[in-house]
Amino acid sequence: MKKIKTDFDTRFRAGKKHSGLQLMETFFQFNELDVSKERLSNIMNYAVKRNSWINEDPAVIFEFYQSMRSLILAGYLMMLKERKWAVYTQPENVSPWVLGLLSEKEYRNPLLVFKKAFRAYTLKEFDYFMSGIVYFSMGIYENLPERNIVMPYIHTVKMLDAAHLILQRKREKEMADTNSG
């Protein structure tokens, strides 16, 4: 009898090498920014509650977990090729309402978000954080996560904002190039 191996790696990471930008674009094709931030917040909230678990379909949570892993990887890949993406910074005046969790400096250069995040935590540590909060949000457990999960959570929310901002500026640049050409 032949063994059948199930591959749980989603389409976000399947196939050959992807660029960070491709992974970000794929993430936002399937996930809206506000929905992703809310889902991440819900998972985080339920991860630290002792006597409750998240009432979403586990398949949805698992798919979100996989796509977030890909988004974090995308940020890491883009951070490695920083010079290539420096063109997406804009020196305009910034309203505090637009910034969200980003500082004004991070808003002007979203790659700083990824630099700071990966200076503080490794790719493996972000994966551990994501798998931990998903695990603890899916059931009732006596123990809580053993590490500080607040800082990785803040970095992850900021990565969502930064990735969305990078893609938005890329689209604006492409529109300006096609209109001027």
Side-chain angles (χ1 to χ4, degrees):
M1 191 162 174
K2 203 175 195 181
K3 277 190 176 180
I4 298 174
K5 239 183 179 179
T6 305
D7 182 17
F8 289 107
D9 222 5
T10 62
R11 67 186 161 272
F12 295 100
R13 293 182 64 180
K16 296 181 181 178
K17 280 186 174 180
H18 291 285
S19 76
L21 193 60
Q22 286 173 317
L23 288 170
M24 283 180 186
E25 286 174 341
T26 303
F27 177 86
F28 285 110
Q29 285 174 356
F30 294 95
N31 301 282
E32 292 180 27
L33 177 64
D34 55 340
V35 173
S36 298
K37 288 167 77 171
E38 184 178 340
R39 182 165 288 139
L40 183 63
S41 176
N42 285 339
I43 291 171
M44 180 70 172
N45 286 335
Y46 280 99
V48 297
K49 287 183 181 179
R50 283 189 187 255
N51 296 323
S52 63
W53 62 87
I54 198 162
N55 56 357
E56 266 192 79
D57 182 6
V60 172
I61 299 297
F62 182 73
E63 183 69 25
F64 179 71
Y65 159 72
Q66 289 288 76
S67 62
M68 282 301 298
R69 285 179 63 203
S70 292
L71 182 75
I72 292 168
L73 175 64
Y76 182 76
L77 292 172
M78 288 192 68
M79 181 200 64
L80 294 176
K81 299 184 186 230
E82 176 189 1
R83 286 188 186 100
K84 185 177 179 183
W85 304 111
V87 296
Y88 295 132
T89 60
Q90 292 181 347
E92 78 264 2
N93 233 352
V94 185
S95 162
W97 295 105
V98 175
L99 295 175
L101 283 180
L102 301 179
S103 69
E104 193 172 328
K105 212 174 190 182
E106 290 168 337
Y107 181 81
R108 289 198 173 123
N109 185 0
L111 288 175
L112 289 177
V113 170
F114 298 108
K115 283 175 120 180
K116 287 179 183 178
F118 292 111
R119 203 176 306 131
Y121 300 95
T122 65
L123 205 50
K124 197 172 196 171
E125 288 172 319
F126 275 110
D127 190 40
Y128 183 77
F129 158 73
M130 284 303 300
S131 62
I133 64 169
V134 167
Y135 175 80
F136 283 106
S137 70
M138 302 285 284
I140 297 175
Y141 301 97
E142 284 295 313
N143 303 326
L144 290 175
E146 76 270 3
R147 292 186 174 190
N148 175 8
I149 60 173
V150 175
M151 286 312 295
Y153 167 73
I154 291 170
H155 282 297
T156 306
V157 172
K158 289 173 88 170
M159 281 191 246
L160 279 166
D161 285 335
H164 192 265
L165 195 55
I166 287 169
L167 291 177
Q168 181 182 350
R169 289 183 182 166
K170 177 186 174 279
R171 277 187 233 108
E172 289 170 2
K173 185 178 181 327
E174 288 171 352
M175 292 289 284
D177 289 347
T178 57
N179 291 337
S180 68

